[in-house]
Amino acid sequence: MRARMMLSRRLAIGLCLIAPMATGSAADRFEPARAFIRQQLLEQSVPSVAVAVAKDGKIIWEEGFGWADRERRVPATPHTMYSLASISKPITATALMTLAQAGKVDLDKPANQYLGSAKLVARIGDAREATLRRIANHTSGLPTYHQFFYSDAPYPAPGMDETIAHYGSLLRVPGQKLEYSNIGFGVLGHVIERVSGVSYGDFMQRELFAPLGMTRSSVNIGPGLESYAAVRYGDDQRPLPPYVTDTPGAADVYSSAHDLVRFGLFHMKAHLSDQKAILSDASIDAMKQRTSFTKNARSGDYGFGVGFMVLEKGAYRVVGHGGGLDGVSTQLYMVPDEGIVIVALSNLSWKKPFEVPDRIAEVLLPKWSAKKPATPSTPQEKFATPSQLAGSWRGVLSTYRGDMPLQLQFQPSGEVRAKLGDQLLALVDSPEFQKERFTGQFVARIDTPDAERFAYVVDLELDLRGERLTGSAHTPYWLGGFKQTRRHGQLAHWVDLSREHLP
């Protein structure tokens, strides 16, 4: 309790140290949002938040709150560099689009056409259908995936060729389903490297950050920028060691609120005098055309263009992206019809990160709706084994080291059991079967060095295809029974099971 009180006191001191970057009526206009941010810093023990807002081609408010580095008493400002997490994706997509505009890549050609010896492999469907565009709108068939590599860990991040060789498998038929994929944007970053002949980081600096005047932006923390970067804090409020991913095109960009709102202004076709037109207006518009779509009862319906998420908020069409990693919560909103860009960045993964831009939007947009669709809270019914699944299924869970035998047993009682390799039978938790898809989790260990590094459950998502169950086995980090202060990864593996017929 005493530690928390001291932390709150330090945060309050930090708030007093930070002067608003906006003045006059503009500052007063955003006072409700400013008060909400200060409240969150105190109540949620958030180290810092930086915001920037632009309208009709001009920045109208930017401000930092709290500490970019608590230990060294470095206050946050609009020019503090934050890890962007998944806002890296539309930035990577913008760089890819410059190559497409120059005729060096074709978004509708297979990604494999631009890769080296490590190619995408189709476990189902045709790898030729995994085009750059489908990767950019998350319908390529590549799975959910991420790995983190901390500076104090004994294992370094592998190169993209190794990551593609280990995890670059299409686990869904390309074009059939939107499945958010970090490895996909790792592939796009790798394509940028191979086509341009320079590293992903160097290309981003030369062809995107410098021409757009984004002086506090880089892939990871660039040389000479270390003192400007916000420290990432874990759930225990302690500084996290520096970490990277093995898919930098998906998650490894750093930027400031000031730089990111300028990136947004570029995509709003503001044509700032100190920004180079690295894309034509037609190319910018093409990136925001929604070419994938999914219905989501919890977060609302949305889809993707080329790297950008496209959705509706109340009466407004919103284009942007969010990001979340250990020690990171970020959001970029663009409302093209209203000429508005909103950026909110933080150095903690916390409960209400997206309320900040919503509170800002409420000031500017009278018909803004931050409310998510109401979902009826019905008690989960006991799983009843459907006739299509009843009995035993055998097959494999495939890893880069080889296949592991996997068996699922669907009991008449509704109980589902799983056996992986020579491990003991395990009860499958939270089994569900909807729209010909079975999901559930069980405790087991997957025999690869990557999977041995952290705790997880095996999370199944299998499609019924006649006499086969095929799909993915993910390894989401496991918080059941204990608390982890770091996330280490979520790996993805192919599963192929066939119904076992009794003689």
Side-chain angles (χ1 to χ4, degrees):
M1 178 66 71
R2 182 181 178 188
R4 187 175 181 85
M5 290 175 62
M6 291 184 68
L7 177 59
S8 296
R9 190 177 299 120
R10 292 198 300 268
L11 284 169
I13 293 170
L15 293 174
C16 294
L17 289 174
I18 302 165
M21 296 299 293
T23 58
S25 60
D28 296 338
R29 187 180 190 185
F30 292 106
E31 187 55 37
R34 184 182 289 108
F36 175 77
I37 293 170
R38 287 172 173 158
Q39 178 186 14
Q40 295 307 307
L41 263 64
L42 291 172
E43 292 183 358
Q44 304 294 328
S45 297
V46 178
S48 74
V49 173
V51 298
V53 183
K55 181 169 173 56
D56 298 330
K58 296 181 180 180
I59 298 174
I60 60 174
W61 178 41
E62 52 183 2
E63 188 169 349
F65 302 81
W67 299 109
D69 186 331
R70 282 174 175 161
E71 290 66 34
R72 295 195 298 134
R73 296 293 190 270
V74 178
T77 78
H79 300 284
T80 298
M81 295 175 65
Y82 288 83
S83 170
L84 296 186
S86 285
I87 297 181
S88 303
K89 293 180 174 68
I91 296 175
T92 297
T94 300
L96 180 72
M97 200 68 174
T98 66
L99 294 176
Q101 182 174 270
K104 296 180 180 180
V105 299
D106 184 334
L107 298 184
D108 296 308
K109 293 292 185 181
N112 278 344
Q113 182 171 315
Y114 304 101
L115 296 177
S117 58
K119 305 283 191 184
L120 302 182
V121 176
R123 298 288 189 167
I124 189 169
D126 187 341
R128 291 172 295 183
E129 299 299 316
T131 63
L132 297 180
R133 188 182 305 277
R134 282 179 169 160
I135 292 176
N137 70 16
H138 298 282
T139 63
S140 67
L142 286 167
T144 301
Y145 166 92
H146 56 264
Q147 285 200 80
F148 305 138
F149 299 87
Y150 291 84
S151 61
D152 61 352
Y155 40 86
M160 269 308 302
D161 277 333
E162 181 176 330
T163 295
I164 292 170
H166 288 183
Y167 299 103
S169 294
L170 311 183
L171 306 187
R172 312 284 176 204
V173 175
Q176 285 194 357
K177 179 179 182 290
L178 190 158
E179 182 168 356
Y180 190 81
S181 177
N182 286 305
I183 192 172
F185 274 80
V187 168
L188 295 184
H190 193 50
V191 167
I192 289 171
E193 287 188 328
R194 289 188 51 79
V195 172
S196 69
V198 299
S199 73
Y200 167 72
D202 286 348
F203 185 88
M204 299 299 284
Q205 180 60 41
R206 186 184 72 191
E207 303 295 335
L208 194 145
F209 300 142
L212 297 187
M214 299 171 66
T215 59
R216 296 280 179 89
S217 300
S218 64
V219 176
N220 293 306
I221 304 173
L225 297 174
E226 294 85 356
S227 63
Y228 303 115
V231 173
R232 292 183 283 207
Y233 289 88
D235 294 341
D236 59 359
Q237 296 291 327
R238 296 179 179 180
L240 288 165
Y243 66 81
V244 299
T245 74
D246 58 342
T247 54
D252 285 10
V253 173
Y254 273 70
S255 190
S256 66
H258 178 80
D259 277 11
L260 193 57
V261 81
R262 286 174 56 83
F263 174 78
L265 284 170
F266 171 76
H267 274 283
M268 297 287 282
K269 299 179 288 189
H271 302 293
L272 301 181
S273 61
D274 59 348
Q275 286 188 330
K276 180 181 177 182
I278 61 174
L279 290 178
S280 67
D281 287 358
S283 293
I284 290 173
D285 290 339
M287 291 187 68
K288 297 171 186 61
Q289 293 176 3
R290 188 165 64 184
T291 55
S292 67
F293 181 79
T294 188
K295 289 183 174 292
N296 190 303
R298 294 180 61 189
S299 59
D301 302 341
Y302 66 93
F304 287 90
V306 181
F308 282 103
M309 180 181 283
V310 185
L311 67 159
E312 279 72 44
K313 287 265 193 178
Y316 306 101
R317 175 176 176 265
V318 179
V319 178
H321 215 290
L325 292 173
D326 273 4
V328 183
S329 296
T330 60
Q331 188 65 55
L332 167 65
Y333 283 167
M334 295 183 289
V335 188
D337 293 341
E338 305 295 328
I340 289 171
V341 184
I342 300 172
V343 170
L345 309 178
S346 181
N347 53 344
L348 181 76
S349 179
W350 51 299
K351 295 179 181 179
K352 300 181 180 180
F354 301 147
E355 284 194 33
V356 172
D358 282 334
R359 293 299 181 101
I360 296 171
E362 288 170 355
V363 173
L364 299 169
L365 300 167
K367 297 180 181 179
W368 184 265
S369 175
K371 295 181 180 179
K372 295 180 180 179
T375 54
S377 56
T378 55
Q380 186 173 357
E381 297 181 0
K382 181 180 177 181
F383 181 72
T385 299
S387 58
Q388 305 100 302
L389 298 181
S392 180
W393 300 71
R394 289 183 183 271
V396 296
L397 182 155
S398 298
T399 78
Y400 62 87
R401 296 188 68 183
D403 293 341
M404 298 182 68
L406 176 63
Q407 181 183 18
L408 289 182
Q409 299 173 358
F410 292 87
Q411 306 293 319
S413 64
E415 186 175 273
V416 184
R417 301 170 183 170
K419 182 177 176 60
L420 181 61
D422 59 1
Q423 300 168 59
L424 296 175
L425 273 173
L427 186 66
V428 176
D429 188 35
S430 303
E432 291 187 13
F433 186 63
Q434 296 182 1
K435 297 181 179 179
E436 303 298 292
R437 174 164 293 171
F438 173 76
T439 59
Q441 298 181 339
F442 67 99
V443 178
R445 300 302 295 174
I446 294 174
D447 185 22
T448 67
D450 292 349
E452 289 299 317
R453 294 201 290 258
F454 57 97
Y456 55 86
V457 293
V458 177
D459 192 358
L460 298 174
E461 189 172 320
L462 307 177
D463 295 319
L464 180 62
R465 302 177 183 277
E467 295 290 291
R468 293 173 65 199
L469 278 171
T470 66
S472 60
H474 288 92
T475 58
Y477 66 97
W478 186 26
L479 296 181
F482 63 92
K483 186 176 180 66
Q484 296 187 103
T485 57
R486 305 180 189 180
R487 301 176 212 177
H488 290 272
Q490 180 168 328
L491 311 177
H493 306 278
W494 170 247
V495 172
D496 190 347
L497 305 178
S498 298
R499 184 187 296 276
E500 187 175 29
H501 294 280
L502 297 177

